[in-house]
Amino acid sequence: MTTRYTFGGDEHLFVECSDEMSLEAFFKGLSMAKGVRESGIKGVTEICPANASFQIKFNPDIIKPDDILREVKAIEGAAEKAEPVIKTRIVEIPVFYNDPWTHETLMRFRERHQEPTGTDLDYAAKINDYSSVETFINAHSGSPWFVSMVGFVAGLPFMYQMVERQRQIEVPKYLRPRTDTPKLTVGHGGCFGCIYSVRGAGGYQMFGITPMPIFDASQSVSYLRDFMVFFRPGDIVKFKAIGREAYDQAVEDVDTGKFSPPIREVSFDLREYQKDIDGYNAKLEGMLYGH
């Protein structure tokens, strides 16, 4: 992986760890961004991490472009030698797959889809060689996902499936974007899953909806009172398929302040994960549920 450095105008340095997404590239970018933050380089005003890259905003009146480039390259050298271990958390996210709200929306926009006669789940199952929508949902919810970045719109997580590359779910985006997507839709585009934090336009395939708010500007939701955005890069997500009754109950619990997503603090070791992916994922799930 050769890191590429480019300047954006007079105030930004873009650091691209790889031109394709991988957990190795994500870990390197995360480690470098952390190193820049902890180094306290004078003139750095903002650090924005992404899937396999990050961007630094700096004040050129305080630090010259060549100087910040030299500083960050030195941090890259240290990051490459660092242990690929992060302290993070694993969280369970309930999902009502094939729900009526995303189904109604996707049917309104079928003329923008690759296969107008079916649904997004039908299409995703077919092109990923699953025998049915049910087996596809089992694969989608069966393995955990890494939150590789948060953004695009406030609080929206991009998630990368934690399985071997040949098993990863991949689905292209709509041929033309929709003008509407329900809030809290669980979607997928390319190799990335996401949760739409707010209602709005979108082009990702729609698989279901979660009753769990992930962004709340008013900070009135019980578990979002400390910070309005739920996710942060490095979070591990485990989806749990639920039905209509459980969905309605969760919505009621959110409204009454009783909903609390299962969360456990964990230490994630990339090398141990790579030795036995399924075994490591099972270990993570056991930590989430206390067994």
Side-chain angles (χ1 to χ4, degrees):
M1 275 188 305
T2 301
T3 303
R4 183 164 55 191
Y5 294 87
T6 53
F7 286 100
D10 298 327
E11 298 181 335
H12 296 91
L13 174 63
F14 181 62
V15 184
E16 188 176 16
C17 298
S18 175
D19 59 2
E20 64 178 26
M21 177 60 190
S22 68
L23 286 181
E24 293 86 351
F26 165 71
F27 263 71
K28 181 176 179 179
L30 195 67
S31 180
M32 287 184 68
K34 180 183 177 185
V36 172
R37 186 176 296 109
E38 293 177 347
S39 67
I41 301 171
K42 291 184 178 180
V44 170
T45 59
E46 190 174 358
I47 306 165
C48 182
N51 295 312
S53 61
F54 63 98
Q55 184 166 277
I56 301 168
K57 184 176 183 181
F58 63 94
N59 185 338
D61 293 330
I62 297 176
I63 186 168
K64 295 178 180 178
D66 287 346
D67 292 336
I68 193 169
L69 180 60
R70 184 174 59 253
E71 294 266 17
V72 177
K73 283 187 173 181
I75 289 170
E76 178 188 2
E80 289 178 338
K81 299 173 185 176
E83 296 287 316
V85 179
I86 60 170
K87 298 291 185 181
T88 186
R89 57 185 186 165
I90 183 169
V91 56
E92 179 188 272
I93 305 293
V95 181
F96 183 13
Y97 289 94
N98 210 8
D99 66 281
W101 305 284
T102 60
H103 184 271
E104 184 276 331
T105 303
L106 65 87
M107 295 308 292
R108 279 194 282 127
F109 292 96
R110 288 333 277 168
E111 82 284 354
R112 305 183 185 209
H113 197 272
Q114 290 86 348
E115 291 197 1
T117 57
T119 67
D120 293 6
L121 279 168
D122 292 333
Y123 177 63
K126 175 184 175 182
I127 67 170
N128 284 278
D129 296 324
Y130 286 97
S131 59
S132 66
V133 166
E134 182 180 2
T135 56
F136 175 80
I137 290 172
N138 289 339
H140 187 270
S141 59
S143 60
W145 299 68
F146 241 112
V147 175
S148 53
M149 67 171 283
V150 179
F152 186 69
V153 296
L156 183 149
F158 287 83
M159 296 174 288
Y160 187 72
Q161 193 178 21
M162 294 167 61
V163 293
E164 297 88 345
R165 187 175 290 271
Q166 64 269 22
R167 289 169 54 197
Q168 286 181 341
I169 292 169
E170 293 194 17
V171 193
K173 295 188 288 186
Y174 275 43
L175 297 175
R176 289 187 294 129
R178 301 176 302 273
T179 56
D180 189 25
T181 307
K183 178 182 177 181
L184 299 179
T185 289
V186 175
H188 198 97
C191 70
F192 289 108
C194 82
I195 301 174
Y196 284 78
S197 53
V198 297
R199 183 179 181 179
Y204 277 22
Q205 308 285 335
M206 295 182 286
F207 296 161
I209 199 164
T210 176
M212 178 183 157
I214 59 171
F215 170 71
D216 178 24
S218 68
Q219 294 180 246
S220 58
V221 173
S222 59
Y223 55 87
L224 294 176
R225 284 176 184 152
D226 291 335
F227 191 54
M228 66 182 70
V229 173
F230 180 77
F231 287 111
R232 50 190 184 234
D235 279 347
I236 299 171
V237 171
K238 183 64 171 64
F239 293 122
K240 179 184 178 181
I242 61 172
R244 178 62 188 266
E245 185 177 346
Y247 174 86
D248 290 341
Q249 183 62 57
V251 170
E252 181 181 330
D253 290 345
V254 168
D255 290 342
T256 57
K258 297 178 182 177
F259 185 87
S260 181
I263 301 173
R264 294 291 182 272
E265 301 293 327
V266 297
S267 178
F268 182 86
D269 188 320
L270 180 61
R271 289 175 301 190
E272 291 300 314
Y273 164 82
Q274 290 172 327
K275 290 177 184 178
D276 179 11
I277 292 176
D278 288 341
Y280 200 89
N281 286 344
K283 177 183 174 182
L284 289 170
E285 187 172 344
M287 294 174 70
L288 175 62
Y289 300 121
H291 57 74

